[in-house]
Each structure stands twice: as C-alpha cells, then as structure tokens.
C-alpha cells in the first residue's frame, strides 16, 4: 500500500531554508511554489520586486530539489497554471491523489483569510504551521498592551530586550541606556567614506521577459543581466556580512542622514532577505552582537549596535504586532480625512523638488529608499499635501523590493501618514524644509529655496507645513507634542498667515507642476 501523500504550499515570502519542514526529505511529501497573477496584480509592483520574488522562489525550489525534496513549481507561463492558489491546489490534489494539505501561516491578512477559507473547502484534511521566523506570535503585542490606550514601541522593545536577553547587563541595559537614538541624528559630513553598496549580478533575463510577455503592469527599471538583490540564502548572508564589516560601525551615526552621494549610505539593505525569510531576525541580531564583540576594525560602538538591533528586535516585530491587532480596519483608516490624488511625479520622479526627485528616482532605479527618505521625504510630502492614504499606501506597497503588507501598511498609514489617529506615532511626522536641509545635501541642489516661505521659489514644504497644521487644527491642536506649533502659528501676524495659506493653496492646486 502506498503512503498517503501530503501537499505543502510555500508562499513567495516563506523561503526559510532552516524551517523544520525541510530537515529531511519525506517520500510522501510534495512541496508546491507558484508564480500566480493574483500576486502580481493586486497592486502595481516594481519590476524588480516581481522579478526578485520569482528569482528567489526558483532558487529556493532548486535548493529543495537538490536536497532530495519533491517539488512542483508552477511558472508564470505554465499552461496548467490557473493563477490563483485555490484552483492550482485543487488541480494538484486531484492529479496527484493528495490526501492532506499543509501550509505555513501567511503574514498578510488577505492571504490568511484566503488560505483559511480555501482549506475549509478542500476535499482533503488540512493543517497550518508556524513559519518559525518571527520572535513574537501574532497576538503577543495585543497581550503586551492589554488594557492600555497607547501601543508605544519603546515599552515593547524593552520587554523584548529582557525576554531575549539582548544587550542586557543583568537587569540593566548595556551602556546604561535603553535607547541611543539621540546619537543617531547626524548629517552626513564626509568624515567616513561611504562604501559602495554590495550588489549582485544575478541574471534574471528569462523572468523579466516572462513578466513583460504576460502583460503584467509594473513600474520602475531593471537591469535583467545584473539584478542587484540577493536571491538565495548564500547571497543574503553575503550582504549581511558586508553590512556588519563595513556599515554597522557607522550605522547609528548616519541612520537619519540623506545624501545624493549614495542611495543607501550605511543601511543594511537586508529587508528583502528578511521579509522573504532567507534570513532570520535572531540570526541577524546574533551576528551583529558577535561582530561588535570581536576585535575586527573598525570597532562597533554601543550606539551603533543598539540603533541597529532596535530596528529588528523592536520596530520590525512591533509593526507586525500592530498589524495583527488592528487588521482589517487598519487597511481603510484615514483619520485626517485626506482626499488629494497622489502627484504624478511619484511614478516618474519628474519634479523640481530635489529631495523628492532623489528619493523617488532611486526608488524607481533600485526599488529601494532608506527609512528617512520614506518617512521624511516621500511620506512627509504626501501627508502635507493631503494625499489620500489609499493612494500613498498602494504606492509604497508597490515600489519597494521589501514591501509586504504587514510591514508596509503600519509604516505607511501609521508611522508616516497618521491615518490610524496615533496608534503608532504620538504625533504626525511632518517637517518644513528645515529638517530636510539639516539632514541632507538636497536643498543646495534644488530649484526651490529652503529658506523662503512665500514667493516663486519658496520651498513648498514650508507653506504646506503650516497649512497642514491649520487644516487639521481640530484633530491635532490638543496633541501635547505639537501644541507648541499652534502657539507659534497663532502668534504670527495675520498677513503672514494669510500669505502662507495662499502660497500653500497655490501649490496644492498645482501639485503636478512642482
Ligand atoms: C512609509 C514607510 C514605508 C515602509 N515600508 C516598508 C516595507 O514595505 N517593508 C519593510 O521591510 N520596511 C518598510 N519600512 C521600514 C524601513 O524603511 C525599511 O525596513 C528599511 O528602509 C529597509 O532597508 P534596510 O534593510 O537597509 O534597513 P536598515 O535601516 O538597515 O534597518 C535594518 C532592518 O531593520 C528593519 N527595520 C528598520 N526600520 C523598520 C521599520 N520602521 N519597520 C519595520 N522594520 C524596520 C528592517 O527589517 C531592516 O531591514 C517603511 C518605512 C516607511 C517610513
Ligand atoms: S528646498 Fe525644499 S523641495 Fe528643495 S530639496 Fe530642500 S526641502 Fe526639498
């Protein structure tokens, strides 16, 4: 009698080679990965994002086969591919006489619902397993903040440090402080040369041609013969190690800096590898701790190390917890009732605003911008201009190589757009040109004048900033963290306030011409 066969589904962001499923090949287990239109088409993605996921999935399937596992891989152009999970799974179950279906917990609400429903309708038994990737469960954060009004990252992060005994000296934080954020706010001053970003030369010509031939709508550019992102675990570890050696020693210092000299400065560029699970968060944290305690040069100070670990042990797990605590309502949140269309230049980088041109331009070129560009340039501008969160959300979800909804949406609607009304951020992240000028070299190369508030060449961030505060007064004036700005606004001469409003109105009426 032949053993009953099990079909196991692996999603494109579940490429965790170290998962217990893959410990040894089992004769009666078949793995399936599929390139489906339901995933390429739910938003307009960057071409590098689609190609990167497919290339990494193909490499993963090859690795499994080499290790003796049985794999079915449905390519985009496979005639049997019906381009949605349910039809493909049903087809395989029938064709291969499958007796059981198993899958791993999806990280996206949309897929979680779909697979849950699908499993309940299948003609065979099913089961779902953990991805063995995250450091918290979906509901840990809800538990942590039970009965509290605010979900502040900092208290969660401290709890995680204690729980995992990371950067702890007994019960106290190493270095005497939990957070070295104050030391992480330097402008790039050229004191340390920025190492050229580690890039790969993966050949994804076939995949890029397939995407084009299928008529999938994408944005951005790709060099198919020299695809720069890691597509397997070996490359993911290489990019991590290069970061630890060359960038971590200066990571914290220049974490918030922006410059036209480099598109990634001292950032790790490991988000794609992490979010596809080619790398695990704890192995990244442990590797950074090992690098810092070794005697390699340059040495890694606590303010660099803590700044990096906070992003992974703190922010990354925290946004995932917020996601599961607040979906699906989070997806449509628009606390400030913003309604304006996203300016066209978000799709082309064709604008005279240098900061936006640089951030969007590199995003179209590399499917990447670092955190402060996302938060304080593209996000800040959209918020000040009054863009509808649905539109800016779809843009962030499409354009970045690392964009998967559980991490993208909390950063976008919560941290960047204040659309959740303050669950994540204690105040809207807005600034005038002053901040961008302080943290970058953009303003010196700009058509607009960062110091002017009104007039032809006045930087739009300046009048839009005051106009934003004025427009949302009823919702924001009581916020203690920005109340002071309202007092400044109220103290301004009436004619100055009027001129700022007029200037902002004219910019808001002509966003596409800026
Ligand atoms: C509007 C907006 C949208 C964003 N969308 C995404 C997204 O779709 N996917 C995504 O992974 N990150 C997103 N982020 C967070 C952050 O910008 C990226 O994780 C980071 O830029 C990735 O580049 P890196 O690997 O070089 O990061 P580094 O700066 O080197 O940080 C190291 C790692 O820390 C983690 N991390 C850092 N900041 C955050 C954060 N705020 N939330 C969660 N994890 C964090 C990431 O895994 C990152 O790889 C967004 C931020 C903003 C403001
Ligand atoms: S002057 Fe204004 S628009 Fe130009 S780069 Fe500076 S902040 Fe951006």
């Amino acid at each position: 009698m032949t053993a009953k066969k099990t079909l196991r589904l692996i999603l494109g962001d579940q490429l965790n080679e170290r998962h217990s499923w893959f410990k040894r090949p089992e004769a009666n287990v078949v793995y399936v990965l599929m390139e489906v239109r339901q995933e390429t088409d739910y938003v307009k993605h960057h071409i590098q994002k689609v190609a990167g996921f497919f290339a990494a999935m193909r490499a993963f399937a090859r690795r499994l086969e080499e290790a003796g596992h049985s794999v079915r891989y449905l390519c985009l152009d496979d005639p049997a591919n019906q381009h949605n999970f349910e039809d493909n799974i049903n087809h395989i179950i029938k064709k291969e006489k499958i007796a059981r279906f198993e899958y791993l917990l999806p990280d996206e609400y949309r897929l979680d619902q779909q697979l849950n429903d699908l499993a309940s309708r299948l003609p065979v038994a099913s089961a779902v397993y953990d991805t063995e990737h995250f450091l918290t469960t979906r509901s840990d954060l809800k538990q942590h903040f039970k009965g509290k009004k605010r979900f502040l990252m900092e208290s969660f992060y401290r709890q995680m440090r204690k729980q995992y005994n990371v950067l702890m000296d007994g019960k106290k934080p190493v270095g005497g402080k939990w957070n070295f954020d104050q030391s992480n706010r330097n402008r790039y001053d050229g004191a340390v040369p920025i190492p050229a970003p580690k890039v790969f030369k993966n050949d994804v010509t076939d995949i890029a041609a397939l995407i084009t031939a299928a008529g999938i709508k994408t944005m951005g550019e790709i060099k198919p013969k020299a695809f720069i992102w890691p597509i397997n675990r070996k490359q993911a570890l290489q990019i991590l190690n290069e970061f630890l050696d060359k960038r971590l020693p200066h990571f914290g210092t220049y974490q918030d800096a922006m410059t036209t000299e480099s598109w990634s400065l001292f950032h790790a560029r490991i988000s794609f590898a992490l979010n596809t699970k080619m790398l695990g968060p704890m192995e990244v944290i442990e590797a950074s701790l090992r690098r810092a305690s070794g005697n390699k040069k340059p040495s890694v100070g606590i303010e660099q190390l803590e700044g990096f670990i906070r992003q992974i042990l703190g922010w990354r797990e925290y946004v995932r917890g917020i996601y599961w605590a607040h979906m699906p309502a989070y997806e449509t949140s628009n606390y400030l009732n913003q309604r304006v269309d996203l300016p066209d230049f978000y799709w082309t980088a064709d604008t005279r605003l240098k900061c936006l041109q640089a951030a969007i331009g590199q995003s179209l070129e590399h499917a990447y911008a670092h955190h402060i560009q996302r938060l304080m340039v593209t996000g800040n501008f959209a918020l000040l201009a009054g863009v509808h969160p649905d539109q800016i959300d779809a843009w962030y979800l499409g354009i970045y190589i690392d964009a998967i909804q559980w991490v993208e949406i909390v950063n976008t609607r919560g941290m960047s757009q204040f659309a959740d009304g303050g669950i994540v951020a204690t105040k809207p992240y807005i600034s005038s040109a002053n901040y961008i000028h302080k943290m970058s070299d953009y303003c010196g190369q700009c058509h607009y004048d960062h110091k002017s508030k009104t007039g032809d060449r006045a930087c739009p961030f300046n009048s839009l900033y005051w106009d934003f505060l004025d427009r949302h007064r009823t919702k924001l004036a009581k916020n203690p963290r920005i109340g002071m700005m309202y007092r400044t606004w109220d103290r301004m001469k009436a004619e100055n306030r009027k001129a700022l409003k007029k200037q902002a109105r004219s910019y808001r009426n002509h966003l596409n011409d800026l």
Side-chain angles (χ1 to χ4, degrees):
M1 206 177 80
T2 49
K4 286 188 174 164
K5 269 204 214 172
T6 296
L7 181 68
R8 286 179 173 169
L9 172 69
I10 304 168
L11 300 173
D13 65 347
Q14 296 179 336
L15 311 181
N16 178 6
E17 258 182 44
R18 299 180 308 158
H19 193 277
S20 51
W21 268 7
F22 312 120
K23 269 198 180 123
R24 66 192 72 81
E26 293 172 60
N28 57 338
V29 172
V30 179
Y31 291 97
V32 62
L33 292 96
M34 39 182 114
E35 300 171 357
V36 280
R37 290 300 292 258
Q38 79 154 72
E39 293 308 295
T40 57
D41 295 6
Y42 67 84
V43 76
K44 191 186 204 183
H45 301 283
H46 197 295
I47 174 94
Q48 291 188 40
K49 185 179 169 195
V50 185
F53 269 89
F54 287 178
M57 286 163 63
R58 289 178 181 201
F60 191 76
R62 273 195 303 275
R63 283 281 291 177
L64 291 186
E65 277 175 339
E66 281 160 16
H69 297 281
S70 176
V71 182
R72 304 286 173 273
Y73 193 94
L74 281 170
C75 288
L76 196 66
D77 60 347
D78 188 321
N81 191 345
Q82 295 174 66
H83 290 288
N84 70 73
F85 290 119
E86 181 148 9
D87 289 344
N88 283 341
I89 287 163
N90 269 307
H91 180 72
I92 298 171
I93 286 178
K94 214 163 154 192
K95 193 170 146 222
E96 306 215 11
K97 301 196 173 49
I98 299 287
R100 183 179 167 82
F101 172 67
E102 296 181 352
Y103 66 103
L104 298 172
L105 276 176
D107 291 323
E108 283 186 298
Y109 186 85
R110 163 184 78 84
L111 288 172
D112 192 53
Q113 297 280 302
Q114 187 189 7
L115 292 182
N116 202 3
D117 292 352
L118 176 166
S120 70
R121 282 195 295 267
L122 287 179
V124 297
S126 63
V128 58
Y129 297 91
D130 197 86
T131 53
E132 299 170 11
H133 173 82
F134 290 101
L135 304 171
T136 43
T137 66
R138 284 179 180 180
S139 58
D140 275 355
L141 194 97
K142 222 174 184 171
Q143 272 312 107
H144 180 79
F145 288 106
K146 206 171 178 184
K148 300 193 183 112
K149 269 198 193 140
R150 290 216 163 271
F151 283 66
L152 290 187
M153 202 294 281
E154 189 62 29
S155 67
F156 168 78
Y157 169 55
R158 289 181 191 187
Q159 160 70 26
M160 292 292 280
R161 291 264 296 270
K162 288 182 210 155
Q163 186 180 332
Y164 283 94
N165 196 21
V166 170
L167 290 180
M168 294 301 296
D169 189 359
K171 288 189 173 158
K172 296 208 173 104
V174 169
K177 278 202 294 185
W178 290 101
N179 189 314
F180 288 80
D181 206 18
Q182 295 294 338
S183 325
N184 297 165
R185 293 180 182 159
N186 287 29
R187 181 190 168 97
Y188 180 64
D189 50 8
V192 184
I194 305 170
K198 164 104 186 138
V199 291
F200 299 94
K201 285 196 173 160
N202 290 306
D203 188 345
V204 296
T205 316
D206 291 356
I207 295 174
L210 212 57
I211 294 168
T212 312
I216 295 170
K217 290 198 177 71
T218 59
M219 65 170 120
E221 303 157 26
I222 191 166
K223 290 193 183 110
K225 285 198 182 309
F227 181 71
I228 62 172
W229 295 99
I231 57 164
N232 54 43
R233 181 162 161 80
K234 190 173 164 205
Q235 292 184 347
L237 286 167
Q238 282 170 4
I239 203 168
L240 170 64
N241 287 327
E242 195 260 3
F243 164 73
L244 296 175
D245 280 343
K246 296 192 178 160
R247 294 166 212 278
L248 179 62
H250 310 288
F251 175 85
T253 308
Y254 300 117
Q255 198 178 341
D256 287 0
M258 299 177 280
T259 170
T260 50
E261 280 179 44
S262 164
W263 57 274
S264 54
L265 284 107
F266 295 91
H267 292 273
R269 293 186 308 118
I270 54 168
S271 45
F272 176 63
L274 270 171
N275 295 352
T276 49
K277 304 183 181 57
M278 291 190 278
L279 290 178
M282 194 39 90
E283 76 171 324
V284 171
I285 292 168
E286 283 169 354
S288 67
L289 289 165
R290 271 198 307 278
R291 171 63 179 80
S293 63
N295 53 10
K296 277 194 184 175
K297 295 272 181 241
S299 61
V300 180
I302 179 68
E303 66 288 359
Q304 318 296 334
L305 185 62
E306 188 281 321
F308 178 66
I309 286 178
R310 190 186 335 130
Q311 309 309 318
I312 298 183
L313 188 62
W315 280 109
R316 189 167 184 269
E317 297 287 326
Y318 168 80
V319 299
R320 175 166 177 270
I322 295 279
Y323 181 76
W324 285 105
H326 294 280
M327 279 296 280
Y330 213 82
E331 210 171 18
T332 48
S333 55
N334 186 4
Y335 176 71
L336 296 174
N337 194 21
Q338 307 249 75
R339 300 270 155 210
V340 172
D341 284 338
L342 187 68
D344 293 345
F345 58 73
Y346 273 72
W347 306 99
T348 60
D350 185 9
T351 170
R352 291 173 295 181
L353 298 140
K354 182 66 196 180
C355 50
L356 280 147
Q357 186 209 74
I360 296 168
Q362 72 164 70
S363 303
L364 292 168
E365 192 180 349
H366 302 301
Y368 177 90
H370 57 80
H371 188 67
I372 289 297
Q373 291 178 307
R374 298 187 203 195
L375 186 64
M376 298 312 292
V377 177
T378 42
N380 185 13
F381 187 81
L383 181 58
L384 295 181
V387 172
H388 196 301
D390 286 359
Q391 293 193 23
I392 189 71
D393 197 9
W395 183 80
Y396 278 113
L397 187 57
I399 197 162
Y400 293 117
I401 186 91
D402 55 32
I404 304 181
Q405 195 195 37
W406 66 267
V407 51
E408 175 278 326
I409 200 170
V410 178
N411 274 293
T412 302
R413 298 225 179 212
M415 189 185 281
S416 159
Q417 300 298 300
F418 207 69
D420 64 1
I423 294 171
V424 170
T426 48
K427 68 173 178 65
Y429 273 96
I430 48 167
S431 81
S432 63
N434 204 16
Y435 176 85
I436 296 171
H437 177 62
K438 194 173 101 197
M439 296 311 298
S440 78
D441 57 7
Y442 295 148
C443 300
Q445 305 169 45
C446 187
H447 165 84
Y448 296 100
D449 174 14
H450 73 275
K451 285 200 226 91
S452 303
K453 296 186 176 67
T454 52
D456 277 358
R457 291 276 176 114
C459 169
F461 280 87
N462 294 335
S463 51
L464 290 176
Y465 174 83
W466 290 111
D467 180 60
F468 172 89
L469 287 176
D470 189 47
R471 274 188 290 128
H472 298 296
R473 183 165 198 134
T474 47
K475 285 186 175 148
L476 300 178
K478 287 205 184 82
N479 183 319
R481 295 200 61 204
I482 45 175
M484 198 179 75
M485 298 320 295
Y486 283 98
R487 289 193 284 284
T488 308
W489 174 244
D490 291 341
R491 276 198 303 269
M492 270 184 215
K493 283 186 185 153
E495 71 221 51
N496 291 351
R497 282 202 302 263
K498 207 169 151 197
L500 279 166
K501 292 287 290 177
K502 190 172 163 214
Q503 183 87 19
R505 203 175 318 117
S506 134
Y507 282 150
R508 290 184 78 221
N509 286 339
H510 300 97
L511 286 176
N512 285 329
D513 303 329
L514 294 180

